[in-house]
Amino acid sequence: MSSLVDLRRFSLPELESMVAERGLPAFRYRQMARWLYGKAAASIDEMTDLSLDLRTELSRDYEVGGLEVVAERTSQVDRTRKFLFRLQDGRSVESVLMPLGRRYTLCISSQVGCTLDCVFCDTGRMGFLRNLEAWEIVGQVIPLWREIRAERDDKVRTNIVFMGMGEPLHNTDAVIEACRLLTDPLGLHLRPKGITVSTAGGIAGMRKLADSGLGVRLAVSLNATTQEERERLMPKAAKVPLLELVAAARDYAERTNDRATMEYVLMRGVNDRPEDADRLGDLFRGGPFKINLIPYNPGGNGQLERPDREAVDAFARRLYPQAPVVTVRWSMGPDIAAACGQLKTEVERTTPPAA
Ligand code: SAH
C-alpha cells in the first residue's frame, strides 16, 4: 500500500487549500486542477508547467491514482464499451460508454448495488453495498476523458447520465459534488445540460439538486401510470406517491427552466396496453416533460418480456398526440449486458468461507 495521498480524492476547494497550506502561489492550484481534470493527467510527472523541483517535491507526498479499470468489453454490435472499475475497498462498479457519431454518452454509477430492488432491474438483485464518494463517481469518467481528449476533436460532445448502478438521489451530496467537478471550468467543464441525473423518486434530493443551482437535467423513472402498478414494479421507490413525484419533477423542471424526462420501461402485457398510454398522456399533458420509452431489457427476472417493435411503435403513436416529445430508447450493447438495468457485479462474500 502506498503512503502517498491520491490527488484524485481532492475536491477543488480541498486542492486549493492544500496548495495554499504548502505556501504555493494560487496559480499553482489552477495549473494542477487543469492537469488533473481538463487534461486528465495520469501522473504528477505529466504536469509539465510545474517546475521539475515542484513536481519532485509534490511526488514525495502525493500521487495521481483514481479508479482502476480492471475489465473492459466492447460490443461487436454497436461499439458500446462496458468498464469494470475496482474500488479501493475491493468492491467494484460498472459504467458504459456509448459512442454515437461525434457524441459520447457515458452512463455512470452512483452506488455499489442499490437499495430499491425494482423487479425489472438486475442492480437491485445484488443488494446494496455502499454509496460511492464524489471522487469515485468522477473517477469513472477520468480514464475515458483522457482518451476522448487524446482525439483532439473539439466537436466531440460528452454527455453523462447517472443511469448506471444505484439511486443517485439516495446519495445526493456526493452526486452534487461530482456534478460540480464535472461542470466547473477548472474541472471537466462539461455543459450542465449534458448531465442527466436519473431517479426513481428521491423528492428531497430533487429539491437539493435544484437548490444547488447546477442546472443539470433530471430524469424520473416512472414505469407505471397508477400507484398500485408502481408499487408492484418498484415497491420501495413507490413509497413516494406517484402524483407527488410528478409534482416534484414539474417543480424541478420549472426551477431549472427545462423539461424533465419521464422514463417508462415498457414491459409486455404489464404496462404496454393502450389504456396505459392514455393514462401516461393524461399525467403529462401540457407539462414541461419529455417521455422516454425504454423497451425492457431481459435480465435475471425470468417473468418479464420485452414488447416487440410493433407494440412499442403502437404505444408511442397512441401517446404522441398527448405528449409532444416522445422518444424510444433501444438500449445499446446487447451482447455485453451493458443495457439499462443489466449492470451488476459479483457480490462479494461478506463472511469468510468456511475453512
Ligand atoms: N435508480 C435510478 C438510476 C438507475 S436505473 C433510476 O431508477 O432512475 C436507469 C434507468 O434504467 C431507469 O429509468 C430504469 O427504470 C431503467 N431500467 C432498469 N432496469 C431496466 C431494464 N431491465 N430494462 C430497461 N430499462 C431498465
Side-chain angles (χ1 to χ4, degrees):
M1 227 15 208
S2 137
S3 60
L4 301 174
V5 176
D6 186 352
L7 288 174
R8 292 231 169 273
R9 285 173 168 260
F10 285 47
S11 67
L12 288 174
E14 285 166 350
L15 183 66
E16 189 170 21
S17 345
M18 180 275 269
V19 167
E21 274 158 27
R22 295 186 76 98
L24 299 169
F27 74 89
R28 292 297 188 201
Y29 154 62
R30 291 188 294 275
Q31 286 177 317
M32 286 175 75
R34 269 196 290 272
W35 281 110
L36 280 170
Y37 296 106
K39 303 182 197 170
S43 70
I44 292 175
D45 272 348
E46 279 180 36
M47 304 183 176
T48 47
D49 58 4
L50 306 186
S51 68
L52 189 55
D53 283 352
L54 180 55
R55 278 181 271 155
T56 310
E57 178 196 323
L58 289 170
S59 301
R60 271 185 224 120
D61 298 326
Y62 301 101
E63 64 182 348
V64 181
L67 297 191
E68 190 194 347
V69 180
V70 286
E72 183 184 336
R73 295 176 70 190
T74 302
S75 164
Q76 297 310 304
V77 178
D78 55 26
R79 314 306 297 161
T80 291
R81 290 158 68 190
K82 185 166 81 166
F83 302 88
L84 179 72
F85 289 93
R86 172 93 60 242
L87 305 171
Q88 289 173 356
D89 62 359
R91 301 204 153 124
S92 42
V93 286
E94 291 187 331
S95 56
V96 174
L97 180 71
M98 293 159 281
L100 257 179
R102 284 181 145 184
R103 196 178 77 209
Y104 286 106
T105 300
L106 181 58
C107 175
I108 59 176
S109 296
S110 54
Q111 299 180 316
V112 188
C114 189
T115 58
L116 291 177
D117 202 13
C118 302
V119 300
F120 45 81
C121 177
D122 279 353
T123 304
R125 301 169 79 83
M126 63 178 276
F128 173 71
L129 294 160
R130 71 167 170 91
N131 280 330
L132 293 183
E133 294 178 34
W135 73 272
E136 293 172 313
I137 296 173
V138 177
Q140 298 163 60
V141 183
I142 300 288
L144 305 165
W145 188 242
R146 191 173 164 86
E147 264 183 48
I148 291 167
R149 295 279 319 192
E151 291 178 13
R152 296 185 186 287
D153 180 346
D154 290 340
K155 296 204 180 64
V156 170
R157 282 212 161 185
T158 307
N159 294 332
I160 307 271
V161 296
F162 283 82
M163 296 183 189
M165 296 161 65
E167 167 48 51
L169 296 187
H170 285 178
N171 187 16
T172 311
D173 291 338
V175 166
I176 288 176
E177 196 183 321
C179 288
R180 206 162 259 137
L181 191 48
L182 293 171
T183 52
D184 196 296
L186 283 177
L188 272 69
H189 205 184
L190 298 175
R191 299 157 297 122
K193 296 270 181 272
I195 300 178
T196 301
V197 174
S198 176
T199 180
I203 287 196
M206 286 187 211
R207 265 186 229 115
K208 241 183 176 177
L209 193 60
D211 290 344
S212 76
L214 283 163
V216 298
R217 294 206 140 131
L218 180 74
V220 174
S221 299
L222 197 74
N223 299 336
T225 54
T226 64
Q227 176 63 17
E228 298 72 55
E229 183 66 38
R230 203 160 184 271
E231 279 168 11
R232 268 194 295 280
L233 294 170
M234 315 171 72
K236 296 199 180 132
K239 297 241 154 57
V240 177
L242 184 74
L243 292 178
E244 271 181 44
L245 184 60
V246 174
R250 174 188 294 271
D251 193 49
Y252 186 91
E254 284 167 355
R255 287 185 64 192
T256 53
N257 204 2
D258 196 6
R259 283 175 192 265
T261 297
M262 289 292 157
E263 297 163 279
Y264 191 86
V265 177
L266 276 170
M267 292 164 261
R268 179 160 148 192
V270 173
N271 63 358
D272 67 343
R273 295 153 303 186
E275 57 269 33
D276 294 309
D278 292 343
R279 272 196 300 265
L280 194 55
D282 282 344
L283 275 173
F284 300 122
R285 185 170 297 133
F289 300 112
K290 299 189 264 197
I291 298 178
N292 193 203
L293 303 174
I294 314 172
Y296 168 71
N297 299 301
N301 178 321
Q303 312 284 305
L304 296 167
E305 287 174 316
R306 158 186 285 208
D308 58 28
R309 193 169 278 273
E310 289 71 46
V312 173
D313 287 348
F315 192 93
R317 266 200 307 277
R318 180 138 186 143
L319 188 57
Y320 182 71
Q322 305 162 75
V325 194
V326 179
T327 50
V328 179
R329 185 205 306 163
W330 291 96
S331 292
M332 299 178 70
D335 52 333
I336 56 168
C340 295
Q342 294 185 327
L343 298 191
K344 65 169 192 298
T345 55
E346 289 299 310
V347 180
E348 309 82 9
R349 248 186 259 273
T350 42
T351 45

PDB file of all heavy atoms in Angstrom, residues 21 79 84 89 119 147 161 166 176 182 185 203 208 230 237 245 247 263 274-275 299 316-317 335 350:
ATOM      1  N   GLU A  21      -1.758  25.805   1.792  1.00  0.00           N
ATOM      2  CA  GLU A  21      -1.058  25.357   3.003  1.00  0.00           C
ATOM      3  C   GLU A  21       0.409  25.043   2.745  1.00  0.00           C
ATOM      4  O   GLU A  21       1.250  25.157   3.636  1.00  0.00           O
ATOM      5  CB  GLU A  21      -1.740  24.109   3.587  1.00  0.00           C
ATOM      6  CG  GLU A  21      -2.888  24.468   4.506  1.00  0.00           C
ATOM      7  CD  GLU A  21      -3.876  23.320   4.660  1.00  0.00           C
ATOM      8  OE1 GLU A  21      -3.467  22.135   4.515  1.00  0.00           O
ATOM      9  OE2 GLU A  21      -5.064  23.610   4.896  1.00  0.00           O
ATOM     10  N   ARG A  79     -20.306  -1.062 -30.859  1.00  0.00           N
ATOM     11  CA  ARG A  79     -19.096  -0.442 -30.288  1.00  0.00           C
ATOM     12  C   ARG A  79     -19.284   0.122 -28.882  1.00  0.00           C
ATOM     13  O   ARG A  79     -18.399   0.843 -28.384  1.00  0.00           O
ATOM     14  CB  ARG A  79     -18.505   0.669 -31.195  1.00  0.00           C
ATOM     15  CG  ARG A  79     -18.385   0.332 -32.662  1.00  0.00           C
ATOM     16  CD  ARG A  79     -17.620  -0.931 -32.943  1.00  0.00           C
ATOM     17  NE  ARG A  79     -16.221  -0.912 -32.521  1.00  0.00           N
ATOM     18  CZ  ARG A  79     -15.479  -2.001 -32.338  1.00  0.00           C
ATOM     19  NH1 ARG A  79     -16.009  -3.197 -32.498  1.00  0.00           N
ATOM     20  NH2 ARG A  79     -14.223  -1.900 -31.982  1.00  0.00           N
ATOM     21  N   LEU A  84     -15.382  -2.217 -16.006  1.00  0.00           N
ATOM     22  CA  LEU A  84     -15.495  -2.628 -14.609  1.00  0.00           C
ATOM     23  C   LEU A  84     -14.374  -1.941 -13.842  1.00  0.00           C
ATOM     24  O   LEU A  84     -13.198  -2.090 -14.184  1.00  0.00           O
ATOM     25  CB  LEU A  84     -15.364  -4.146 -14.501  1.00  0.00           C
ATOM     26  CG  LEU A  84     -15.447  -4.718 -13.090  1.00  0.00           C
ATOM     27  CD1 LEU A  84     -16.877  -4.635 -12.552  1.00  0.00           C
ATOM     28  CD2 LEU A  84     -14.984  -6.171 -13.056  1.00  0.00           C
ATOM     29  N   ASP A  89     -11.670  -0.463  -1.759  1.00  0.00           N
ATOM     30  CA  ASP A  89     -12.046  -1.453  -0.741  1.00  0.00           C
ATOM     31  C   ASP A  89     -12.328  -2.818  -1.361  1.00  0.00           C
ATOM     32  O   ASP A  89     -12.903  -3.690  -0.711  1.00  0.00           O
ATOM     33  CB  ASP A  89     -13.255  -0.969   0.075  1.00  0.00           C
ATOM     34  CG  ASP A  89     -14.497  -0.765  -0.786  1.00  0.00           C
ATOM     35  OD1 ASP A  89     -14.426  -0.986  -2.018  1.00  0.00           O
ATOM     36  OD2 ASP A  89     -15.539  -0.389  -0.231  1.00  0.00           O
ATOM     37  N   VAL A 119     -38.409  -4.700  -9.574  1.00  0.00           N
ATOM     38  CA  VAL A 119     -38.497  -6.089 -10.041  1.00  0.00           C
ATOM     39  C   VAL A 119     -37.815  -6.315 -11.400  1.00  0.00           C
ATOM     40  O   VAL A 119     -37.412  -7.434 -11.705  1.00  0.00           O
ATOM     41  CB  VAL A 119     -39.950  -6.619 -10.121  1.00  0.00           C
ATOM     42  CG1 VAL A 119     -40.621  -6.574  -8.768  1.00  0.00           C
ATOM     43  CG2 VAL A 119     -40.762  -5.855 -11.142  1.00  0.00           C
ATOM     44  N   GLU A 147      -8.940   9.532 -22.913  1.00  0.00           N
ATOM     45  CA  GLU A 147      -8.989   9.042 -24.300  1.00  0.00           C
ATOM     46  C   GLU A 147      -9.653  10.033 -25.238  1.00  0.00           C
ATOM     47  O   GLU A 147      -9.168  10.294 -26.335  1.00  0.00           O
ATOM     48  CB  GLU A 147      -9.873   7.787 -24.351  1.00  0.00           C
ATOM     49  CG  GLU A 147      -9.154   6.503 -24.274  1.00  0.00           C
ATOM     50  CD  GLU A 147     -10.153   5.358 -24.411  1.00  0.00           C
ATOM     51  OE1 GLU A 147     -10.990   5.394 -25.333  1.00  0.00           O
ATOM     52  OE2 GLU A 147     -10.086   4.451 -23.572  1.00  0.00           O
ATOM     53  N   VAL A 161     -24.790  10.422 -18.026  1.00  0.00           N
ATOM     54  CA  VAL A 161     -26.092  10.079 -17.443  1.00  0.00           C
ATOM     55  C   VAL A 161     -25.869   9.220 -16.190  1.00  0.00           C
ATOM     56  O   VAL A 161     -25.104   8.262 -16.215  1.00  0.00           O
ATOM     57  CB  VAL A 161     -27.028   9.373 -18.466  1.00  0.00           C
ATOM     58  CG1 VAL A 161     -27.366  10.318 -19.612  1.00  0.00           C
ATOM     59  CG2 VAL A 161     -26.432   8.088 -19.020  1.00  0.00           C
ATOM     60  N   GLY A 166     -27.313   1.998  -8.952  1.00  0.00           N
ATOM     61  CA  GLY A 166     -27.614   2.821  -7.786  1.00  0.00           C
ATOM     62  C   GLY A 166     -28.668   3.885  -8.012  1.00  0.00           C
ATOM     63  O   GLY A 166     -29.073   4.157  -9.138  1.00  0.00           O
ATOM     64  N   ILE A 176     -24.053  15.675  -6.110  1.00  0.00           N
ATOM     65  CA  ILE A 176     -23.943  17.121  -6.362  1.00  0.00           C
ATOM     66  C   ILE A 176     -22.470  17.538  -6.431  1.00  0.00           C
ATOM     67  O   ILE A 176     -22.060  18.273  -7.327  1.00  0.00           O
ATOM     68  CB  ILE A 176     -24.702  17.927  -5.275  1.00  0.00           C
ATOM     69  CG1 ILE A 176     -26.208  17.756  -5.488  1.00  0.00           C
ATOM     70  CG2 ILE A 176     -24.310  19.394  -5.295  1.00  0.00           C
ATOM     71  CD1 ILE A 176     -27.079  18.418  -4.429  1.00  0.00           C
ATOM     72  N   LEU A 182     -17.657  18.036 -12.450  1.00  0.00           N
ATOM     73  CA  LEU A 182     -17.834  17.757 -13.880  1.00  0.00           C
ATOM     74  C   LEU A 182     -18.105  19.033 -14.674  1.00  0.00           C
ATOM     75  O   LEU A 182     -17.784  19.114 -15.863  1.00  0.00           O
ATOM     76  CB  LEU A 182     -18.982  16.758 -14.096  1.00  0.00           C
ATOM     77  CG  LEU A 182     -18.742  15.336 -13.578  1.00  0.00           C
ATOM     78  CD1 LEU A 182     -20.011  14.499 -13.640  1.00  0.00           C
ATOM     79  CD2 LEU A 182     -17.630  14.638 -14.384  1.00  0.00           C
ATOM     80  N   PRO A 185     -15.330  25.081 -14.565  1.00  0.00           N
ATOM     81  CA  PRO A 185     -14.334  25.392 -15.603  1.00  0.00           C
ATOM     82  C   PRO A 185     -12.946  24.834 -15.259  1.00  0.00           C
ATOM     83  O   PRO A 185     -12.182  24.491 -16.164  1.00  0.00           O
ATOM     84  CB  PRO A 185     -14.307  26.914 -15.645  1.00  0.00           C
ATOM     85  CG  PRO A 185     -15.632  27.333 -15.082  1.00  0.00           C
ATOM     86  CD  PRO A 185     -16.044  26.271 -14.101  1.00  0.00           C
ATOM     87  N   ILE A 203     -37.435  12.667  -3.715  1.00  0.00           N
ATOM     88  CA  ILE A 203     -38.018  14.018  -3.780  1.00  0.00           C
ATOM     89  C   ILE A 203     -37.147  15.053  -3.054  1.00  0.00           C
ATOM     90  O   ILE A 203     -36.896  16.142  -3.561  1.00  0.00           O
ATOM     91  CB  ILE A 203     -39.444  14.002  -3.191  1.00  0.00           C
ATOM     92  CG1 ILE A 203     -40.351  13.290  -4.188  1.00  0.00           C
ATOM     93  CG2 ILE A 203     -39.950  15.392  -2.910  1.00  0.00           C
ATOM     94  CD1 ILE A 203     -41.801  13.533  -3.943  1.00  0.00           C
ATOM     95  N   LYS A 208     -32.821  19.417  -3.337  1.00  0.00           N
ATOM     96  CA  LYS A 208     -31.426  19.772  -3.071  1.00  0.00           C
ATOM     97  C   LYS A 208     -30.666  20.037  -4.375  1.00  0.00           C
ATOM     98  O   LYS A 208     -29.864  20.954  -4.466  1.00  0.00           O
ATOM     99  CB  LYS A 208     -30.752  18.599  -2.349  1.00  0.00           C
ATOM    100  CG  LYS A 208     -30.235  18.942  -0.996  1.00  0.00           C
ATOM    101  CD  LYS A 208     -29.516  17.735  -0.395  1.00  0.00           C
ATOM    102  CE  LYS A 208     -28.904  18.118   0.921  1.00  0.00           C
ATOM    103  NZ  LYS A 208     -28.271  16.989   1.587  1.00  0.00           N
ATOM    104  N   ARG A 230     -47.295   0.792  -9.808  1.00  0.00           N
ATOM    105  CA  ARG A 230     -45.937   1.211  -9.460  1.00  0.00           C
ATOM    106  C   ARG A 230     -45.466   0.496  -8.196  1.00  0.00           C
ATOM    107  O   ARG A 230     -44.306   0.106  -8.093  1.00  0.00           O
ATOM    108  CB  ARG A 230     -45.892   2.732  -9.294  1.00  0.00           C
ATOM    109  CG  ARG A 230     -44.511   3.308  -9.489  1.00  0.00           C
ATOM    110  CD  ARG A 230     -44.502   4.784  -9.799  1.00  0.00           C
ATOM    111  NE  ARG A 230     -43.134   5.203 -10.058  1.00  0.00           N
ATOM    112  CZ  ARG A 230     -42.301   5.625  -9.121  1.00  0.00           C
ATOM    113  NH1 ARG A 230     -42.700   5.729  -7.885  1.00  0.00           N
ATOM    114  NH2 ARG A 230     -41.050   5.932  -9.451  1.00  0.00           N
ATOM    115  N   ALA A 237     -39.386   2.307  -4.198  1.00  0.00           N
ATOM    116  CA  ALA A 237     -39.448   3.655  -4.779  1.00  0.00           C
ATOM    117  C   ALA A 237     -40.862   4.212  -4.689  1.00  0.00           C
ATOM    118  O   ALA A 237     -41.051   5.425  -4.540  1.00  0.00           O
ATOM    119  CB  ALA A 237     -38.983   3.612  -6.227  1.00  0.00           C
ATOM    120  N   LEU A 245     -44.548  12.632  -6.961  1.00  0.00           N
ATOM    121  CA  LEU A 245     -43.332  12.502  -7.762  1.00  0.00           C
ATOM    122  C   LEU A 245     -43.428  13.377  -9.022  1.00  0.00           C
ATOM    123  O   LEU A 245     -42.490  14.111  -9.363  1.00  0.00           O
ATOM    124  CB  LEU A 245     -43.178  11.025  -8.147  1.00  0.00           C
ATOM    125  CG  LEU A 245     -41.939  10.634  -8.904  1.00  0.00           C
ATOM    126  CD1 LEU A 245     -40.699  10.955  -8.091  1.00  0.00           C
ATOM    127  CD2 LEU A 245     -41.974   9.138  -9.228  1.00  0.00           C
ATOM    128  N   ALA A 247     -45.321  15.979  -9.396  1.00  0.00           N
ATOM    129  CA  ALA A 247     -45.300  17.391  -8.993  1.00  0.00           C
ATOM    130  C   ALA A 247     -43.870  17.849  -8.718  1.00  0.00           C
ATOM    131  O   ALA A 247     -43.466  18.953  -9.095  1.00  0.00           O
ATOM    132  CB  ALA A 247     -46.182  17.594  -7.758  1.00  0.00           C
ATOM    133  N   GLU A 263     -38.999   8.522 -17.663  1.00  0.00           N
ATOM    134  CA  GLU A 263     -38.589   7.243 -18.259  1.00  0.00           C
ATOM    135  C   GLU A 263     -39.671   6.206 -17.980  1.00  0.00           C
ATOM    136  O   GLU A 263     -40.212   6.133 -16.870  1.00  0.00           O
ATOM    137  CB  GLU A 263     -37.264   6.787 -17.636  1.00  0.00           C
ATOM    138  CG  GLU A 263     -36.113   7.734 -17.920  1.00  0.00           C
ATOM    139  CD  GLU A 263     -34.943   7.497 -16.985  1.00  0.00           C
ATOM    140  OE1 GLU A 263     -34.988   7.993 -15.834  1.00  0.00           O
ATOM    141  OE2 GLU A 263     -34.006   6.809 -17.386  1.00  0.00           O
ATOM    142  N   PRO A 274     -53.017  -0.032 -24.426  1.00  0.00           N
ATOM    143  CA  PRO A 274     -53.470   1.298 -24.859  1.00  0.00           C
ATOM    144  C   PRO A 274     -53.914   2.163 -23.676  1.00  0.00           C
ATOM    145  O   PRO A 274     -53.616   3.362 -23.633  1.00  0.00           O
ATOM    146  CB  PRO A 274     -54.657   0.997 -25.783  1.00  0.00           C
ATOM    147  CG  PRO A 274     -54.473  -0.421 -26.223  1.00  0.00           C
ATOM    148  CD  PRO A 274     -53.708  -1.124 -25.157  1.00  0.00           C
ATOM    149  N   GLU A 275     -54.565   1.546 -22.689  1.00  0.00           N
ATOM    150  CA  GLU A 275     -55.022   2.377 -21.556  1.00  0.00           C
ATOM    151  C   GLU A 275     -53.845   2.920 -20.745  1.00  0.00           C
ATOM    152  O   GLU A 275     -53.934   3.993 -20.144  1.00  0.00           O
ATOM    153  CB  GLU A 275     -56.035   1.635 -20.659  1.00  0.00           C
ATOM    154  CG  GLU A 275     -55.566   0.329 -20.066  1.00  0.00           C
ATOM    155  CD  GLU A 275     -55.896  -0.907 -20.929  1.00  0.00           C
ATOM    156  OE1 GLU A 275     -55.897  -0.783 -22.180  1.00  0.00           O
ATOM    157  OE2 GLU A 275     -56.137  -1.978 -20.344  1.00  0.00           O
ATOM    158  N   GLY A 299     -33.247  -9.585 -18.011  1.00  0.00           N
ATOM    159  CA  GLY A 299     -32.187  -9.806 -17.035  1.00  0.00           C
ATOM    160  C   GLY A 299     -32.540 -11.020 -16.208  1.00  0.00           C
ATOM    161  O   GLY A 299     -33.167 -11.960 -16.704  1.00  0.00           O
ATOM    162  N   ALA A 316     -46.082   4.281 -28.684  1.00  0.00           N
ATOM    163  CA  ALA A 316     -45.562   5.636 -28.898  1.00  0.00           C
ATOM    164  C   ALA A 316     -46.549   6.463 -29.733  1.00  0.00           C
ATOM    165  O   ALA A 316     -46.785   7.634 -29.445  1.00  0.00           O
ATOM    166  CB  ALA A 316     -44.200   5.568 -29.590  1.00  0.00           C
ATOM    167  N   ARG A 317     -47.153   5.832 -30.754  1.00  0.00           N
ATOM    168  CA  ARG A 317     -48.106   6.563 -31.608  1.00  0.00           C
ATOM    169  C   ARG A 317     -49.344   6.992 -30.835  1.00  0.00           C
ATOM    170  O   ARG A 317     -49.860   8.078 -31.008  1.00  0.00           O
ATOM    171  CB  ARG A 317     -48.519   5.695 -32.803  1.00  0.00           C
ATOM    172  CG  ARG A 317     -47.659   5.950 -34.041  1.00  0.00           C
ATOM    173  CD  ARG A 317     -48.361   5.483 -35.299  1.00  0.00           C
ATOM    174  NE  ARG A 317     -48.795   4.106 -35.184  1.00  0.00           N
ATOM    175  CZ  ARG A 317     -48.000   3.040 -35.407  1.00  0.00           C
ATOM    176  NH1 ARG A 317     -46.748   3.229 -35.785  1.00  0.00           N
ATOM    177  NH2 ARG A 317     -48.458   1.820 -35.263  1.00  0.00           N
ATOM    178  N   ASP A 335     -24.955  -7.409 -26.555  1.00  0.00           N
ATOM    179  CA  ASP A 335     -24.149  -8.623 -26.439  1.00  0.00           C
ATOM    180  C   ASP A 335     -23.204  -8.611 -25.238  1.00  0.00           C
ATOM    181  O   ASP A 335     -22.540  -9.596 -24.961  1.00  0.00           O
ATOM    182  CB  ASP A 335     -23.346  -8.839 -27.746  1.00  0.00           C
ATOM    183  CG  ASP A 335     -22.553  -7.596 -28.146  1.00  0.00           C
ATOM    184  OD1 ASP A 335     -22.977  -6.469 -27.783  1.00  0.00           O
ATOM    185  OD2 ASP A 335     -21.517  -7.733 -28.797  1.00  0.00           O
ATOM    186  N   THR A 350     -19.611 -11.687   2.251  1.00  0.00           N
ATOM    187  CA  THR A 350     -19.479 -10.804   3.403  1.00  0.00           C
ATOM    188  C   THR A 350     -18.941 -11.575   4.610  1.00  0.00           C
ATOM    189  O   THR A 350     -18.410 -10.995   5.536  1.00  0.00           O
ATOM    190  CB  THR A 350     -20.816 -10.148   3.769  1.00  0.00           C
ATOM    191  OG1 THR A 350     -21.830 -11.146   3.674  1.00  0.00           O
ATOM    192  CG2 THR A 350     -21.131  -9.006   2.827  1.00  0.00           C
TER     193      THR A 350
END
